[in-house]
């Protein structure tokens, strides 16, 4: 925020909000509407992660991760989508993950949340198209990044770093570009989506051999 102000751009607003708290989301959304106006681009980017085996996840971790990575999408959509529908204009961007395309060890909770985002975005896009008889102009973009160096992943495992490792600024730039180009689905790097689609057509044993060869993911924190 301070960096943007230094650039001489004054028409910028910042609000602190715990997206896991639905009442706070609705309260901040109402404040934004009063002080700025209707939101026309919503980017659901908040997320946390724990690299642990399933049995070593405690119940609070499971609940908190699900609240932030998944349920928060429902609260922000409930808060901002109605005005988009009323105006028949807007764009929803949601951050899934490569871990939302292929399950991975030590990701039994994280992967689930990211798989769910894929399903949510597909379902709500189809629903709006059906309810509007194909006349909805609201756009949906789901992003599937590989490793973004935000610190969420404490011990990344990358046999081939060129398979996807991004600094946050670069990832943000690519996400903005995907939104502006109206991509419905975009993986970072681009080739992960077609690889996983082709992989689903192969025998399970072949897909497992491919994943063993790539040998990427995370090392456990526990």
């Amino acid at each position: 925020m301070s960096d943007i102000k230094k650039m001489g751009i004054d028409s910028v607003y910042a609000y602190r909000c715990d997206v896991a708290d639905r009442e706070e989301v609705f309260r901040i959304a109402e404040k934004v509407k009063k002080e700025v106006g209707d939101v026309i681009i919503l980017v659901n980017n908040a997320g946390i992660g724990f690299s642990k085996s399933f049995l070593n996840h405690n119940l609070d971790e499971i609940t908190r991760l699900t609240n932030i990575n998944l349920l928060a999408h429902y609260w922000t959509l409930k808060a901002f989508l109605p005005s988009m529908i009323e105006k028949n204009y807007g764009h929803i961007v949601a951050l899934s993950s490569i871990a939302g395309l292929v399950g991975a060890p030590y990701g039994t909770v994280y992967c689930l949340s990211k798989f769910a985002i894929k399903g949510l975005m597909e379902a709500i896009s189809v629903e709006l198209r059906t309810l509007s008889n194909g006349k909805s102009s609201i756009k949906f973009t789901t992003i599937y990044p590989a490793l973004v160096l935000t610190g969420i992943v404490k011990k990344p495992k990358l046999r081939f770093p060129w398979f996807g490792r991004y600094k946050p600024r670069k990832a943000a730039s690519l996400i903005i570009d995907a939104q502006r180009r109206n991509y419905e689905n975009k993986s970072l790097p681009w080739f992960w989506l077609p690889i996983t689609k082709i992989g689903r057509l192969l025998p399970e044993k072949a897909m497992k051999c491919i994943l063993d060869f790539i040998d990427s993911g995370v090392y456990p924190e526990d």
Side-chain angles (χ1 to χ4, degrees):
M1 181 69 177
S2 59
D3 290 341
I4 295 174
K5 293 292 187 181
K6 289 177 182 177
M7 295 168 63
I9 303 174
D10 295 322
S11 56
V12 177
Y13 300 80
Y15 300 85
R16 185 185 297 275
C17 179
D18 179 0
V19 294
D21 183 337
R22 66 181 182 184
E23 299 304 327
E24 185 170 345
V25 170
F26 298 148
R27 180 174 59 80
I28 295 299
E30 188 62 29
K31 187 176 182 181
V32 170
K33 184 174 182 177
K34 289 180 179 178
E35 297 181 0
V36 184
D38 289 326
V39 169
I40 58 172
I41 299 176
L42 171 65
V43 181
N44 279 319
N45 180 58
I48 61 173
F50 304 104
S51 304
K52 293 185 176 183
S53 59
F54 175 73
L55 293 180
N56 283 342
H57 269 292
N58 67 55
L59 300 183
D60 288 340
E61 288 173 343
I62 294 172
T63 300
R64 178 155 178 75
L65 188 147
T66 304
N67 284 342
I68 293 174
N69 290 18
L70 175 57
L71 292 183
H73 288 247
Y74 285 94
W75 313 148
T76 57
L77 286 169
K78 282 286 190 179
F80 297 111
L81 184 57
S83 64
M84 295 185 188
I85 293 174
E86 184 180 350
K87 298 177 184 302
N88 195 25
Y89 184 78
H91 203 133
I92 307 293
V93 181
L95 271 290
S96 180
S97 170
I98 299 301
L101 298 172
V102 181
Y106 315 114
T108 50
V109 182
Y110 183 79
C111 289
L112 179 147
S113 69
K114 295 304 182 179
F115 268 87
I117 297 308
K118 181 179 187 296
L120 171 60
M121 290 289 280
E122 288 181 1
I124 198 167
S125 175
V126 172
E127 182 172 286
L128 285 187
R129 181 164 55 85
T130 300
L131 293 176
S132 67
N133 294 316
K135 296 179 181 179
S136 176
S137 297
I138 299 171
K139 309 295 184 183
F140 293 87
T141 297
T142 308
I143 306 292
Y144 306 88
L147 176 65
V148 181
L149 302 173
T150 59
I152 290 179
V153 177
K154 302 298 189 297
K155 300 178 181 179
K157 180 183 181 183
L158 289 174
R159 181 177 183 183
F160 305 107
W162 51 272
F163 267 26
R165 183 170 60 186
Y166 296 94
K167 292 182 178 179
R169 184 182 294 271
K170 178 63 176 177
S173 176
L174 293 171
I175 292 166
I176 292 170
D177 181 70
Q179 181 266 322
R180 288 176 172 172
R181 292 171 181 264
N182 291 324
Y183 284 116
E184 291 186 16
N185 295 280
K186 179 72 173 181
S187 62
L188 307 177
W190 66 269
F191 52 75
W192 273 114
L193 267 175
I195 284 178
T196 55
K197 287 180 179 179
I198 293 170
R200 297 299 182 190
L201 301 176
L202 299 175
E204 287 187 18
K205 188 174 181 179
M207 186 60 179
K208 289 176 182 177
C209 288
I210 292 173
L211 293 176
D212 288 344
F213 174 75
I214 294 172
D215 193 27
S216 296
V218 296
Y219 291 104
E221 299 170 13
D222 50 11

